[in-house]
């Protein structure tokens, strides 16, 4: 291995304490985590160690200026019990695109794949096989320079933690637009998976939750007319048989699931348009009974159907779930591809392979 790993196994596994039949999202963490340091461009000290707290200085730059990026991925087991990753190369590309925008170092491809494969191999018993469940993987990186002046930084930690998880949204979501807040704008960091993008949306999200909605449907910051995405997902609308999704203009995340949905729909012969989509067009279609389907797409959330959309005080209800042309079918096929119960006709799943641990653990 180009980047040697140090391995320290936990003395006492917490696995037996987990109730795999009642998993929620984001509450439990696997036995181990991966940690590496980047010092002045050099990757070093790669290790898999027991999950636990880490010491770092309160002067760490990330805590003050928010140089923090992350990814969200999932590991599954196929019916033969083999651990699978889903399109890990896409997350690697996006991680490094986020890193570049935030003046952080790129994680080398080999390091990315070795870290994921060895960690998931190590904690493979943590991958749930219950319906709708998976081992959520959270790679993230932050600046650790002990310096509280504003300047580009030189020291970083790259960490991957794992979390056995159930459904992110157990039921369809109600979304609302807002013209009070803006998530992203041209030239900003909307396309990056930067922690600050999420921090800035906590208040709008809290206000949406207090009003009985599940998420904000973000629109552009200038006219509040063009739909961007939902706080945790990209978004699709099906109007008159055509699937519409906002184009990647730098303000929204280039979702892995979004790309899957586009490829799946196109393969089925459905017309897909990636273009600016106005909220007026969607509301109008909703009023006229032409809005046949609407759903969010994301790794954590999967394909989540939208039940209602509110815009400028008007609430439209989407058709009943069993009358939607695409969302339920796409969700079932994508879930099936991911957990190896349906043919992977796109070649998206990758079997977890260990270079190191397979020998060490023998
Ligand atoms: C803001 C936002 N948009 C879109 C997505 C969907 O991206 P992906 O399908 O790669 O998970 C996510 C999920 O992480 C997200 O947080």
């Amino acid at each position: 291995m180009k980047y040697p790993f140090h391995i320290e196994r936990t003395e006492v596994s917490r696995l037996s304490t987990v109730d795999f039949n009642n998993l929620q999202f984001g509450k439990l963490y696997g036995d181990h985590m991966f940690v590496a340091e980047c010092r002045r461009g050099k990757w070093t000290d790669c290790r898999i160690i027991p999950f636990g707290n880490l010491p770092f200085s309160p002067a760490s730059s990330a805590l003050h200026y928010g140089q923090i990026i992350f990814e969200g991925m999932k590991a599954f087991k196929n019916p033969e019990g083999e651990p699978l990753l889903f399109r890990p190369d896409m997350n690697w590309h996006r991680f490094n695109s986020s890193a570049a925008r935030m003046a952080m170092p790129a994680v080398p491809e080999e390091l990315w794949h070795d870290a994921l494969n060895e960690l998931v191999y190590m904690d493979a018993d943590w991958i749930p096989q219950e319906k709708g469940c998976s081992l959520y993987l959270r790679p993230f990186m932050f600046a650790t320079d002990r310096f509280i002046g504003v300047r580009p930084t030189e020291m970083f930690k790259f960490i991957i933690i794992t979390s056995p998880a159930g459904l992110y949204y157990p039921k369809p979501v109600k979304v609302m637009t807002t013209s009070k807040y803006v998530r992203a704008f041209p030239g900003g960091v909307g396309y990056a998976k930067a922690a600050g993008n999420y921090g800035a949306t906590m208040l709008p999200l809290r206000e949406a939750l207090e009003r009985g909605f599940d998420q904000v449907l973000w629109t552009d910051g200038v006219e509040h007319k063009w739909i961007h995405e939902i706080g945790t997902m990209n978004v699709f609308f099906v109007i008159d048989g055509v699937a519409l999704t906002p184009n990647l203009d730098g303000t929204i995340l280039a979702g892995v699931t979004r790309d899957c949905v586009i490829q799946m729909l196109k393969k089925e012969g459905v017309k897909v348009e990636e273009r600016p989509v106005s909220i007026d067009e969607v509301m109008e279609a909703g009023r006229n009974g032409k809005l046949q389907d609407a759903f969010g797409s994301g790794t954590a959330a999967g394909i989540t159907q939208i039940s209602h959309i509110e815009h400028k005080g008007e609430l439209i209800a989407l058709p009943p779930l069993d009358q939607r042309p695409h969302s339920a079918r796409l969700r079932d096929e994508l879930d099936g591809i991911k957990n190896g119960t349906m043919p992977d006709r796109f070649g998206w799943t990758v079997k977890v392979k260990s270079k190191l641990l397979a020998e060490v653990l023998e």
Side-chain angles (χ1 to χ4, degrees), residues 118-174:
E118 300 298 341
L119 182 63
V120 174
Y121 187 90
M122 181 98 157
D123 278 349
D125 290 345
W126 285 80
I127 304 176
Q129 283 183 283
E130 287 69 15
K131 190 171 162 38
C133 297
S134 59
L135 186 65
Y136 186 77
L137 311 173
R138 170 52 60 88
F140 61 108
M141 176 161 62
F142 57 95
T144 56
D145 289 37
R146 262 180 29 167
F147 180 68
I148 50 170
V150 180
R151 66 159 191 217
T153 40
E154 296 184 320
M155 318 283 262
F156 301 87
K157 268 196 199 311
F158 169 48
I159 300 178
I160 309 176
I161 57 176
T162 71
S163 173
L167 293 172
Y168 196 92
Y169 294 114
K171 55 185 182 50
V173 290
K174 262 178 102 169

Side-chain angles (χ1 to χ4, degrees), residues 94 183 193 198 229-234 253 255-258 297-299:
R94 191 171 64 191
R183 178 189 174 274
K193 221 163 156 59
Y198 296 81
E229 60 186 328
I230 299 173
T232 46
M233 304 180 274
N234 295 111
L253 206 70
V256 177
T257 322
R258 175 186 180 279
S297 67
T299 298

Side-chain angles (χ1 to χ4, degrees), residues 29-49:
Y29 299 95
D31 274 334
H32 298 93
M33 61 186 182
F34 173 83
V35 185
E37 317 287 332
C38 187
R39 301 195 183 106
R40 293 180 189 85
K42 194 169 178 296
W43 286 98
T44 167
D45 290 353
C46 303
R47 53 209 190 267
I48 291 179
I49 54 176

Side-chain angles (χ1 to χ4, degrees), residues 190-315:
Y191 70 89
K193 221 163 156 59
N197 281 343
Y198 296 81
T201 54
M202 294 296 176
L203 176 63
L205 175 59
R206 187 167 72 191
E207 291 181 7
L209 293 171
E210 281 168 1
R211 294 196 52 235
F213 289 84
D214 299 293
Q215 260 296 347
V216 175
L217 174 62
W218 289 102
T219 49
D220 74 281
V222 181
E223 299 175 86
H224 285 291
K225 171 178 178 176
W226 305 104
I227 295 173
H228 279 179
E229 60 186 328
I230 299 173
T232 46
M233 304 180 274
N234 295 111
V235 67
F236 286 80
F237 305 94
V238 181
I239 299 179
D240 260 350
V242 180
L244 309 177
T245 193
N247 53 313
L248 302 177
D249 66 351
T251 60
I252 65 172
L253 206 70
V256 177
T257 322
R258 175 186 180 279
D259 183 76
C260 296
V261 168
I262 292 171
Q263 289 197 48
M264 290 164 80
L265 286 173
K266 284 189 174 167
K267 195 138 195 157
E268 290 166 13
V270 178
K271 189 167 177 210
V272 182
E273 291 181 5
E274 293 178 69
R275 61 157 170 88
V277 180
S278 83
I279 183 68
D280 302 325
E281 177 180 6
V282 171
M283 297 301 284
E284 172 78 12
R287 271 179 231 123
N288 299 340
K290 293 186 174 177
L291 182 58
Q292 300 161 301
D293 208 345
F295 54 92
S297 67
T299 298
I303 309 280
T304 297
Q305 290 163 317
I306 296 173
S307 64
H308 296 83
I309 304 172
E310 190 205 57
H311 176 61
K312 288 188 178 162
E314 181 186 359
L315 186 71

